[in-house]
Amino acid sequence: MRNIYYLKSNADASILFKENHLIIGKPSRYSDQFIIDDKMISPDYFDFIINPKIRENSYFVPIDFQQDIYFKSFWTHDFSNGKRYKSLFMAGNFGENYSNAYNEKLFNTINRYDVKTLIESLDCYKNLEVKDEFEFFEKVEDLSIYLIEKKNGYQIPPSKLFFYLSKFDFFFALPGMYMPISHNIIEAMSVGTIPFLQQSYADIFQPQLENGINCITYLGIEDLPKKIQYLFSLELNQIISLREEVIKFYLENLTPKSIVANIINPQNSKVYLMAEQYSVNQLSLKLEKNNNISDTLCN
């Protein structure tokens, strides 16, 4: 029986067919290619939350850039050098649809909408209204927070995203819609911009990000303003040290080359895929099942 797959022309998976290195068919019996079967891979990325032991001898394929960034080669330019502002920056969406309960219930992270609401009350928050790139950087200052809303005002073109990220010392890594991990933190780290994120978010990384080594973390909404003050008090040598570690982490764990190397590493007997909302749903179902079992035992 033949397997037939239908892919929409605008689907993410359809990009595979535009690559020059995709071969469809049965590998040769004597091929030296590395073959992954269904027994080796799992979309249950967050199983380590229930069973921490699976971190051993397993590889967790990380989320990475948005697919268009790879395909259109927006990521290939070197933006690691040049003047940076000692400020926090993030560009994205911040609407009420980011206030769902998934992040708090499953991952103990504050949702993006609530964090932005708090940030807007701080004196260091700057709500810029600009028409273009020139006006934006003419108004940018040190010791400030810039959250650029995609739906309002000036839009940062995808081709310019890495340039913008490279102009700031710190990236405000707010959680995604259904889970903390988002493409944007990987994009920021690729140009050496230091992640500022909640500790529970840092703990989900595989391997985990380390506070004071390759990121700066806050515990919750209560200590967030104080941690922002600490962030802006860092000396230049501390920032440079953090940036070097961020780039090191990115090169060792988040580049296509490092991902392939980890997948084919014989020490990794299981490969967990980041299937985004599917992985989140699987975690939710398993936690609910475990809670029901616990309730039954208690009764």
Side-chain angles (χ1 to χ4, degrees):
M1 181 179 290
R2 297 171 60 191
N3 292 323
I4 301 176
Y5 299 92
Y6 295 93
L7 295 172
K8 294 180 180 179
S9 60
N10 64 342
D12 294 351
S14 68
I15 292 178
L16 287 171
F17 293 92
K18 300 176 184 178
E19 296 285 350
N20 295 324
H21 305 294
L22 176 68
I23 300 174
I24 299 177
K26 188 175 181 180
S28 167
R29 180 180 177 184
Y30 303 104
S31 171
D32 61 353
Q33 296 176 359
F34 182 79
I35 300 171
I36 301 177
D37 59 24
D38 291 343
K39 294 179 182 178
M40 185 179 177
I41 61 174
S42 169
D44 298 336
Y45 187 90
F46 297 110
D47 267 7
F48 65 85
I49 293 176
I50 299 171
N51 181 15
K53 288 185 178 180
I54 68 169
R55 290 179 190 255
E56 303 172 9
N57 302 321
S58 297
Y59 178 59
F60 297 80
V61 180
I63 198 169
D64 228 297
F65 305 155
Q66 292 281 1
Q67 67 277 359
D68 266 3
I69 287 175
Y70 279 120
F71 192 68
K72 295 179 181 178
S73 298
F74 293 152
W75 66 295
T76 56
H77 304 290
D78 183 10
F79 294 119
S80 57
N81 297 315
K83 173 180 169 52
R84 289 180 184 254
Y85 293 94
K86 192 178 182 180
S87 290
L88 267 168
F89 170 82
M90 179 182 170
N93 296 310
F94 302 92
E96 286 192 56
N97 55 331
Y98 278 83
S99 64
N100 69 70
Y102 276 97
N103 275 302
E104 294 179 41
K105 179 182 177 182
L106 301 179
F107 304 103
N108 194 31
T109 53
I110 313 162
N111 70 71
R112 184 182 299 189
Y113 180 77
D114 287 349
V115 175
K116 183 174 187 287
T117 301
L118 170 68
I119 295 302
E120 287 175 331
S121 68
L122 302 179
D123 292 337
C124 57
Y125 171 69
K126 300 296 191 320
N127 183 22
L128 293 186
E129 295 183 5
V130 298
K131 300 190 295 281
D132 53 36
E133 178 183 316
F134 176 80
E135 188 178 2
F136 177 82
F137 284 108
E138 195 175 50
K139 292 184 176 182
V140 168
E141 303 172 346
D142 288 332
L143 310 181
S144 301
I145 301 175
Y146 299 95
L147 303 179
I148 309 302
E149 177 80 49
K150 281 186 176 181
K151 295 181 179 179
N152 299 323
Y154 174 59
Q155 303 284 310
I156 297 175
S159 60
K160 287 277 190 176
L161 176 62
F162 289 85
F163 171 72
Y164 276 76
L165 289 169
S166 71
K167 290 297 182 183
F168 294 88
D169 280 329
F170 308 108
F171 178 73
F172 211 146
L174 297 178
M177 184 175 291
Y178 297 101
M179 61 182 182
I181 302 174
S182 183
H183 302 276
N184 54 30
I185 190 172
I186 314 301
E187 293 156 2
M189 293 178 72
S190 75
V191 293
T193 304
I194 301 158
F196 178 63
L197 70 169
Q198 193 172 356
Q199 183 63 52
S200 54
Y201 183 175
D203 291 341
I204 290 174
F205 265 76
Q206 306 288 340
Q208 294 169 317
L209 290 175
E210 298 179 75
N211 181 39
I213 304 296
N214 46 34
C215 69
I216 300 295
T217 66
Y218 55 94
L219 294 177
I221 204 84
E222 297 80 10
D223 75 330
L224 182 53
K226 187 179 295 185
K227 278 301 181 79
I228 291 172
Q229 291 178 4
Y230 168 75
L231 195 73
F232 290 160
S233 73
L234 292 174
E235 300 292 338
L236 179 59
N237 64 317
Q238 294 174 291
I239 294 173
I240 291 173
S241 177
L242 282 161
R243 179 171 300 120
E244 289 174 348
E245 290 295 327
V246 167
I247 293 172
K248 179 183 177 184
F249 186 97
Y250 170 75
L251 292 174
E252 292 180 353
N253 300 285
L254 302 173
T255 63
K257 182 179 179 180
S258 65
I259 291 171
V260 171
N262 278 296
I263 289 175
I264 66 175
N265 186 339
Q267 293 182 353
N268 294 320
S269 58
K270 191 83 172 178
V271 174
Y272 290 87
L273 303 178
M274 166 51 73
E276 302 196 22
Q277 191 169 352
Y278 179 86
S279 296
V280 173
N281 290 339
Q282 289 299 104
L283 172 64
S284 180
L285 289 171
K286 291 180 180 181
L287 287 174
E288 185 177 347
K289 182 179 179 180
N290 287 352
N291 289 337
N292 289 338
I293 292 173
S294 297
D295 290 343
T296 301
L297 292 174
C298 290
N299 293 331

